[in-house]
Amino acid sequence: MPDVQLDLPPEADAFVNRVRKVEGTLGGSGYVKYGGEEFKPTKEHPADEGWKGATGPDGRETHAAGPGQWQPGTWKEQKEKFKGYGVELDFSNETHQKAAIWDKGYEEYKKSTGRDLREDLKANKVEWAKLSSTWQGFEPRVTQSDK
């Protein structure tokens, strides 16, 4: 089955790369499990293929995986949403990963700020911390110089 053409705005690539950078997946294919272990992706999220997960920074289990460091439930939500667009998301498909990251970011940003992510990207005024509920890499960090 040929890949359905997904229409992404010009800003999507820069946004996806920023997400991948803060999540530690920008290098290489981005197909890494939480903790840095690379894996060969299949159509499904690794947790659906039997991966038991890893211990996250807060001591709880995490199943974050792939370029967007997707948790299984979040990936399933995106899969359901994209079915409505006529697209069967494939975890191993780079274009599908980009589209899902863009879509989730756009939706979360609109919900948390009331603003359009595309416009804020163009104006260089994105409030990145507003995306931290999906991508922990955007959480504000306290450093020695902040104290």
Side-chain angles (χ1 to χ4, degrees):
M1 176 174 148
D3 189 22
V4 176
Q5 180 63 32
L6 295 168
D7 188 24
L8 297 175
E11 298 80 17
D13 278 339
F15 177 76
V16 169
N17 286 340
R18 181 74 179 258
V19 168
R20 288 185 60 189
K21 181 178 180 182
V22 302
E23 290 297 318
T25 65
L26 188 57
S29 71
Y31 286 101
V32 294
K33 297 173 182 173
Y34 180 84
E37 177 190 350
E38 291 185 24
F39 68 97
K40 182 171 174 44
T42 64
K43 184 174 178 161
E44 302 302 328
H45 187 284
D48 296 331
E49 302 283 327
W51 179 46
K52 302 292 185 207
T55 303
D58 59 3
R60 293 185 294 168
E61 188 176 82
T62 180
H63 289 88
Q69 287 295 281
W70 298 104
Q71 292 290 346
T74 309
W75 181 252
K76 285 178 185 170
E77 289 170 8
Q78 288 301 99
K79 281 184 74 165
E80 286 301 312
K81 185 174 184 182
F82 275 73
K83 279 182 186 176
Y85 303 152
V87 176
E88 182 72 34
L89 283 184
D90 177 339
F91 200 81
S92 66
N93 183 306
E94 182 181 344
T95 301
H96 290 187
Q97 286 282 336
K98 285 182 180 181
I101 291 168
W102 171 257
D103 180 80
K104 184 65 175 174
Y106 188 90
E107 174 186 285
E108 288 297 314
Y109 194 74
K110 185 74 164 176
K111 187 169 41 173
S112 66
T113 67
R115 296 195 313 269
D116 185 292
L117 179 58
R118 282 184 73 180
E119 296 304 316
D120 279 8
L121 282 164
K122 287 177 191 175
N124 198 26
K125 63 176 194 174
V126 175
E127 292 182 60
W128 295 104
K130 299 292 186 181
L131 298 166
S132 65
S133 64
T134 299
W135 294 291
Q136 289 183 356
F138 287 124
E139 288 181 356
R141 304 277 191 250
V142 175
T143 64
Q144 290 297 332
S145 62
D146 293 334
K147 293 180 180 180

